[in-house]
């Protein structure tokens, strides 16, 4: 990641000191994976939001990114990423819902191969530009409906992360999950959302509920 320019380093409310405070907060909330903490400590989150919101970029909160969408709360990004790393060191990860590309950038500093899809073309284009500016060349992005997973695939992913809430287990995605692969997604039962982990074992899919969350909904089609 190219973090050498002044813009990437940040000053005042985007300075390293402000970022370090966020990392301490994540630790206090139970995030303990050193590589996740280190990547998020270095990641210039202020570059993923509108300039007018840059001073709030290191608060542990979701922020608007336009088109009625949000950049996820740092704690949730850390929690989901940490979950994907247990157990072992997977090679490839598919993300559904690129948004501004922040979660994608965190993944790209940890996983060798990152694939991410977004249904809103304007967000897809902006994320593509941002990730190239950060020299993250191990990411492939597509403007497509993630309900179908990665298009025309003859490959399965070690990990899948869905960053929009699903009303049912997304079966098109579980078929793209490799053996021993782990998928994490927010499941919306109509009343509330629960972060859910699915593991593909030799006996089939095993599901586990994690914690209550709040995500924008997974929507059909592209715009
Ligand atoms: N990963 C982002 C979170 C963005 S919010 C982050 O780091 O902050 C969720 C995103 O999922 C939105 O950009 C939304 O447009 C996208 N999304 C919703 N339904 C989708 C679908 N069917 N296919 C692809 N992207 C979808």
């Amino acid at each position: 990641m190219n973090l050498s320019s002044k813009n990437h380093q940040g000053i005042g409310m985007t300075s390293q000191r402000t970022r370090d405070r966020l990392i301490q907060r994540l630790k206090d909330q139970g995030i303990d994976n050193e590589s996740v903490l280190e990547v998020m400590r270095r990641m210039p989150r202020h570059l993923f939001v509108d300039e007018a919101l840059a001073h709030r970029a290191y608060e542990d909160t979701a922020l608007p990114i336009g088109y009625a969408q949000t950049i996820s709360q740092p704690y949730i990004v850390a929690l989901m990423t940490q979950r994907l790393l247990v157990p072992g060191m997977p090679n490839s990860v598919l993300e559904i819902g690129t948004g501004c590309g922040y979660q994608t950038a965190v993944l790209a500093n940890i996983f060798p191969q990152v694939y991410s899809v977004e249904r809103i073309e304007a967000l897809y284009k902006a994320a593509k530009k941002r990730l190239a500016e950060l020299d993250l060349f191990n990411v492939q992005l597509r403007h497509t409906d993630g309900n179908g997973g990665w298009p025309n695939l003859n490959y399965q992913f070690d990990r899948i992360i869905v960053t929009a809430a699903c009303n049912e287990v997304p079966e098109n995605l579980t078929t793209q999950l490799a053996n021993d692969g782990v998928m994490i997604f927010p499941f919306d039962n109509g009343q509330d959302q629960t972060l859910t982990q699915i593991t593909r074992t030799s006996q089939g899919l095993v599901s586990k509920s994690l914690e209550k969350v709040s995500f924008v909904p997974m929507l059909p089609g592209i715009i």
Side-chain angles (χ1 to χ4, degrees):
M1 183 165 51
N2 173 8
L3 301 177
S4 53
S5 81
K6 193 79 196 160
N7 195 24
H8 290 178
Q9 283 168 14
I11 48 166
M13 290 309 282
T14 63
S15 68
Q16 193 57 58
R17 259 185 74 199
T18 313
R19 294 183 208 185
D20 289 348
R21 273 201 294 272
L22 171 63
I23 298 312
Q24 188 54 50
R25 200 186 142 106
L26 298 180
K27 284 186 189 167
D28 293 345
Q29 291 180 96
I31 303 299
D32 58 7
N33 185 293
E34 285 302 327
S35 49
V36 173
L37 290 167
E38 182 54 22
V39 166
M40 289 185 66
R41 199 179 72 77
R42 287 188 292 122
M43 185 63 67
R45 189 170 184 256
H46 63 284
L47 300 183
F48 291 81
V49 295
D50 198 85
E51 248 177 85
L53 286 173
H55 67 288
R56 298 193 56 198
Y58 299 96
E59 291 175 16
D60 189 21
T61 180
L63 292 168
I65 56 169
Y67 310 91
Q69 305 304 321
T70 53
I71 179 172
S72 298
Q73 181 192 352
Y75 169 69
I76 294 295
V77 171
L79 181 73
M80 290 175 91
T81 309
Q82 176 163 295
R83 274 279 163 189
L84 294 178
L85 291 170
V86 179
M89 183 56 219
N91 182 45
S92 62
V93 58
L94 168 66
E95 176 190 31
I96 307 298
T98 316
C100 62
Y102 177 71
Q103 170 82 69
T104 324
V106 170
L107 294 171
N109 275 276
I110 297 175
F111 290 81
Q113 291 180 55
V114 179
Y115 301 78
S116 182
V117 303
E118 171 56 52
R119 67 180 287 273
I120 301 176
E121 187 173 24
L123 291 178
Y124 154 79
K125 283 188 171 160
K128 193 167 183 158
K129 189 161 171 270
R130 234 177 243 129
L131 295 171
E133 279 166 8
L134 291 171
D135 292 342
L136 294 172
F137 301 119
N138 58 333
V139 180
Q140 290 195 53
L141 301 181
R142 287 276 174 87
H143 173 222
T144 188
D145 180 353
N147 281 299
W150 190 263
N152 311 320
L153 189 75
N154 51 13
Y155 172 82
Q156 287 179 315
F157 299 99
D158 297 322
R159 300 289 184 264
I160 298 180
I161 173 172
V162 186
T163 68
C166 310
N167 296 318
E168 52 192 28
V169 177
E171 271 183 35
N172 285 330
L173 296 181
T174 52
T175 58
Q176 295 196 343
L177 194 59
N179 282 337
D180 297 326
V182 174
M183 174 166 99
I184 188 160
F185 70 103
F187 173 65
D188 190 331
N189 66 3
Q191 284 179 330
D192 52 22
Q193 297 179 9
T194 309
L195 202 57
T196 305
Q197 178 173 325
I198 287 191
T199 308
R200 178 182 284 287
T201 71
S202 49
Q203 273 88 46
L205 301 175
V206 176
S207 169
K208 182 176 171 186
S209 294
L210 306 173
E211 58 189 85
K212 295 277 179 258
V213 286
S214 173
F215 278 83
V216 293
M218 179 107 152
L219 297 173
I222 58 171
I223 57 171

